[in-house]
Amino acid sequence: MAIAVVALTLASSAPATAATLSESERGAGLWYVDSLGISSAHAEGLTGKSVRIAVVDDGINLQAAELRGAKIRVHGNYCLNQDTGKPFPADSTDGNVAQHGTSVVAMLVGNGKAADGGKGTLGIVPDAEIDFYATGPVVTKEQQDSGWEKVCPSGRDKADGSWVGDAWEDAMNDAVKSGASIVSVSLAGSAISFRDGLVYAAAHGVTVVASARNPGNDSIGVGGYPAAGNGTVSVNAVGPDNKVIGRSVDFEHATQLGSANMGVSAPGVRILSIGRDWAPKIENGTSYATPLTAGVLALAAEKYPKATQNQILQSLVSTTDASLRDGTPSWDPELGFGIVSLPQLLERDPGGLQDLNPLFVSKPSDSRCLGPRDSEQPTTMKDCYWAQLPTAEQVAEAASKPSATGEPSEPGTSEPSAPPVFMIIGLLLGGLIVIAAGVFIPIAVTKKSRSGRQKAFAGEARTSDGSTSEVPFARQHPTNFNLPNLDRQNPPKPNGDEPRGPVIK
């Protein structure tokens, strides 16, 4: 089964290091602060206090200057080194391992100061609590040639010593069960890696915010999950000109891919980020728009603590620039429901809105399931244009089961089990899919059948100050909602069995 990986970040022609990036250039890369109205929210006292956000990404560098003072718990890497059998370090100063995850987290809790004392990434929710789940580095072509599995394993079978598990899948599963109300994912890949996590999230009221695929050839052939999942907040990126990333500066002629269930759009072009040398760098991609959107939702949750996640999502889609302009929620295949408007979202108390996820399709009879080229309304969710996974039935079944928060398995061991054929069938028939924020170059990998599917080694919950703590578990509300007819075009749609990877450009 072919599976590809991609980070949602795009190459930039901008200067790459602090030595060539002037203060004025850095200031220009902070345009998202004024565009979203972040300073005004902070002045109102809204900084993400008491809100927990889980981030699933490759790795993190807690020593990065922009992350000093942030509240970050790092959960040990799920990816096993296939030479040593031990997990790769989750907290690393190696830019090849941790640059993307560090940059994504900085969009949430960055302090605005770079290592040289100049301007650095400023986070939208600097006081939020971050739970970071490290998926580990993508297996390189050289490592594959030396005999490594192409999908990073999370354990070994006790019986024959073979590699088992999927680091991405296990990290996602633990993230949605962490107790965080919002999960931000800047990765894109096959539904197989995200199915169980998306079903659980939908059944327990956890909001998944994920990156849509970036435009251009790098994203062709890459799976669209978890962003393509039913009920997921799929995020696209826009530039300072409010144009979508494929039409904004530097990417005017790139082919749009996105997702059929595009949720909203947020700043993600010419963003002041962090380079692999840990110096300020201008970057582009849905990977950066995703954590900003997660932060927008977190600020609304902080201001309106009695509102449910679903009510906040209702307010999100009804307060975008397009919805305010048209007087009602309207949808576009590239921008989704429009560009997020933090001031308008914070101005309106969502407490009186329906407690239903406006991005979740519960039945194939929903108008969103009928694609622009379909002649008949689908009769099953596997043919739904908007999204196939998860189905309302899967969500209801998951919600009815007792919540289990057992300890994660130790790395390197797993009891044999039946081949995961039933999981593949389930993915094709229904499930939940989501995409993370970010845009990396896609890397094709092959996922072989494995005899075991253990829960990954999560390691110790470690904070940036070195202390450890237990992560409480939270159960919330199921989601299910239908929207009125929407005019849509026909962007490429993931089929549930495609490559995966971080989303970075």
Side-chain angles (χ1 to χ4, degrees), residues 123-273:
I124 185 172
V125 283
D127 292 326
E129 298 178 30
I130 304 299
D131 286 281
F132 188 86
Y133 293 84
T135 61
V138 173
V139 177
T140 66
K141 178 64 166 59
E142 291 74 17
Q143 289 169 330
Q144 295 173 34
D145 292 341
S146 69
W148 282 34
E149 292 277 350
K150 295 180 180 180
V151 171
C152 193
S154 56
R156 302 191 81 158
D157 188 275
K158 284 183 177 180
D160 60 17
S162 62
W163 298 111
V164 297
D166 177 343
W168 282 28
E169 179 180 8
D170 293 338
M172 180 67 177
N173 289 346
D174 282 353
V176 298
K177 297 177 182 179
S178 67
S181 57
I182 301 168
V183 178
S184 178
V185 187
S186 291
L187 307 172
S190 168
I192 293 175
S193 295
F194 297 101
R195 170 189 178 268
D196 291 347
L198 293 175
V199 171
Y200 184 93
H204 296 83
V206 177
T207 296
V208 177
V209 185
S211 302
R213 292 173 296 178
N214 280 318
N217 295 334
D218 286 346
S219 294
I220 294 176
V222 174
Y225 300 97
N230 195 7
T232 296
V233 183
S234 178
V235 183
N236 211 345
V238 296
D241 53 7
N242 282 344
K243 293 182 180 179
V244 71
I245 187 170
R247 312 200 194 294
S248 188
V249 62
D250 291 341
F251 302 104
E252 292 91 342
H253 306 295
T255 301
Q256 292 293 310
L257 293 175
S259 61
N261 63 328
M262 190 67 73
V264 295
S265 298
V269 177
R270 302 195 65 79
I271 298 293
L272 181 62
S273 184

Side-chain angles (χ1 to χ4, degrees), residues 60-65 67-68 72 74 91-92 102 462-464:
I60 191 170
N61 177 12
L62 290 179
Q63 296 182 42
L67 298 186
R68 289 172 186 163
I72 305 171
V74 178
D91 177 10
S92 174
T102 302
R462 184 158 46 87
T463 64
S464 54

Side-chain angles (χ1 to χ4, degrees), residues 35-81:
S35 177
L36 288 175
I38 293 175
S39 297
S40 297
H42 291 178
E44 191 179 337
L46 300 174
T47 57
K49 295 182 297 293
S50 75
V51 179
R52 289 181 59 191
I53 302 173
V55 176
V56 179
D57 216 294
D58 54 2
I60 191 170
N61 177 12
L62 290 179
Q63 296 182 42
E66 290 85 346
L67 298 186
R68 289 172 186 163
K71 303 171 185 176
I72 305 171
R73 296 185 192 88
V74 178
H75 300 262
N77 208 311
Y78 292 73
C79 177
L80 298 184
N81 184 313

